[in-house]
Amino acid sequence: MKPSFRDHLVILLALATVFACGFGVGQIQGKKASAPKPEVSAHWEEETLSLLKHSLDLAPQEQVSVEREIQRAATRIRLKRDETILSYHEQISELYGRLIEELDGPNAAKLKKEKQSLDEKIQKLRPQT
């Protein structure tokens, strides 16, 4: 028996349905994967102080002490963050240097250009003495 136009139409609609479902699932998964990860708040100092004020019954002198300790911690955190970012960039620069020795021609040239740009960024990140 020869398939009719209706049979072909049903097959086509079934394929379209399967494609649409697959596309929808892919979109949902893609949105989950590309959703921004929660970052540490840039204003964690104020948030921490506010949280402590609400959860503790701080006297004015205690509040001053808490604020001072939060500032000290914030300074140490910023310094450690800057050191870590610098170390990360230095490690990548060293990796590029090793790879340049291993690669030939245009790939080495591209990597040299990237390394030069990275080294300039490292110089800006280094503390001025």
Side-chain angles (χ1 to χ4, degrees), residues 94-105 107-108 111-112:
E94 289 175 19
L95 168 66
Y96 284 4
R98 291 189 305 269
L99 289 175
I100 289 168
E101 294 173 6
E102 305 264 336
L103 300 175
D104 299 332
N107 289 328
L111 213 47
K112 281 181 186 177

Side-chain angles (χ1 to χ4, degrees), residues 2 4 10 13-14 16 26 40 59 63 78 90 99 106 108 113 121:
K2 193 173 184 181
S4 68
V10 169
L13 288 175
V40 175
Q63 185 173 335
R78 280 189 207 101
E90 289 171 340
L99 289 175
K113 195 173 184 180
K121 185 182 273 188

